[in-house]
Amino acid sequence: MAENFFTHQTRMMKLGHLTAYTLHRYRRSYELHLSTTFGLLPFTAISAMDIEDQMVEQRDIPSSGKSIRNRHGLLLSILMHGHKRLGLRPDNPAELTRLPSKDGELGRQVRFFQHGKWRPWPGRW
């Protein structure tokens, strides 16, 4: 199923709707993060629970919230292609997934120095 999606995306690239680099990134992301879980399952057997389990695995790697959302977006697109364009299933289970927030728990925290904390670096500023 994913190969059919990438064949369609190759056509879209030839029409100028995405770049060769973007298509390459999609394929690479699929191969590294999605194919091991979803490439082995029959397309019609993928459930919302499978997707949630995969997201938990991604957090355990750990991956940033943005990376998880990007990979989920690719999976959503592949499932949408099979659902809407090919009619292989009646739904898209990826639509039900709750994604990590943009400021997720894995994100960097911004910290500011207090006035007194600058003293250890005399002459720096």
Side-chain angles (χ1 to χ4, degrees):
M1 176 56 232
E3 277 310 310
N4 191 296
F5 170 79
F6 288 118
T7 299
H8 177 72
Q9 292 303 306
T10 301
R11 273 189 244 122
M12 294 297 103
M13 180 191 68
K14 290 176 181 175
L15 292 171
H17 296 295
L18 76 155
T19 66
Y21 179 68
T22 300
L23 181 58
H24 167 75
R25 284 184 24 228
Y26 289 169
R27 279 187 181 276
R28 183 86 172 132
S29 184
Y30 177 78
E31 290 166 8
L32 290 175
H33 303 287
L34 301 174
S35 68
T36 54
T37 302
F38 301 107
L40 304 174
L41 291 174
F43 183 72
T44 55
I46 296 172
S47 70
M49 222 35 178
D50 294 327
I51 296 167
E52 289 172 11
D53 289 346
Q54 196 263 350
M55 287 183 63
V56 169
E57 290 173 15
Q58 292 292 309
R59 287 184 181 192
D60 290 344
I61 290 177
S63 291
S64 70
K66 181 172 181 0
S67 294
I68 293 170
R69 287 190 313 276
N70 287 346
R71 293 170 195 148
H72 179 270
L74 177 58
L75 179 61
L76 178 81
S77 296
I78 292 169
L79 291 170
M80 187 177 300
H81 177 77
H83 165 58
K84 297 214 178 208
R85 188 170 298 277
L86 302 177
L88 297 177
R89 58 180 301 144
D91 64 343
N92 183 345
E95 292 176 331
L96 305 174
T97 310
R98 184 165 181 224
L99 299 173
S101 67
K102 290 183 180 178
D103 303 319
E105 60 279 353
L106 300 174
R108 282 190 287 169
Q109 294 180 353
V110 177
R111 299 180 189 243
F112 296 96
F113 285 110
Q114 299 296 328
H115 183 69
K117 292 183 180 177
W118 287 103
R119 287 190 207 278
W121 298 298
R124 293 259 180 176
W125 301 99

